[in-house]
Amino acid sequence: MRVVHLLSVGTAALTLTACSLPKTSVSSGSERPTLAITGAPAMSTLLVDGIVIGDATRYDGRNNIVKIEEGTHRVSIQLNGAVIHSEVIHARSNESMVVEAGVAAP
């Protein structure tokens, strides 16, 4: 009787481990758009949709870029707390957006 009980438990355990959920992943197949800033003065700050990204000169497109989501975004450049450039962009997948801050680089 004991052997039958152990055999039943072993069979149940083996059955449960053999059944596993399928592994799935979702991928859009496209790269996120990127953003680069040119002509930003030293010590200026980049904001995308009101969120501070960092030093605007850092994202010049040569050394660094910002990956953004597809859609419409407000890109702003601030210097000493004042907005010196602001524009609305429409980014699509795999697109490289370049925003010219309109300020000559020193």
Side-chain angles (χ1 to χ4, degrees):
M1 188 74 145
R2 184 169 207 170
V3 173
V4 173
H5 180 65
L6 289 176
L7 187 57
S8 296
V9 171
T11 303
L14 187 61
T15 302
L16 290 176
T17 58
C19 295
S20 64
L21 295 174
K23 296 181 192 257
T24 60
S25 64
V26 177
S27 174
S28 68
S30 61
E31 291 290 321
R32 288 172 41 193
T34 61
L35 173 65
I37 308 298
T38 60
M43 307 298 289
S44 61
T45 302
L46 169 63
L47 292 89
V48 177
D49 298 329
I51 299 170
V52 174
I53 304 300
D55 180 357
T57 60
R58 180 173 180 216
Y59 302 101
D60 60 4
R62 291 184 303 248
N63 299 314
N64 293 302
I65 54 172
V66 179
K67 285 192 176 187
I68 57 177
E69 297 298 326
E70 289 185 64
T72 302
H73 301 280
R74 175 161 299 280
V75 178
S76 303
I77 310 295
Q78 290 183 352
L79 183 62
N80 298 323
V83 175
I84 59 170
H85 181 85
S86 184
E87 69 181 79
V88 174
I89 62 169
H90 306 283
R92 293 181 287 252
S93 64
N94 294 321
E95 189 172 29
S96 297
M97 305 293 299
V98 179
V99 170
E100 171 58 49
V103 180

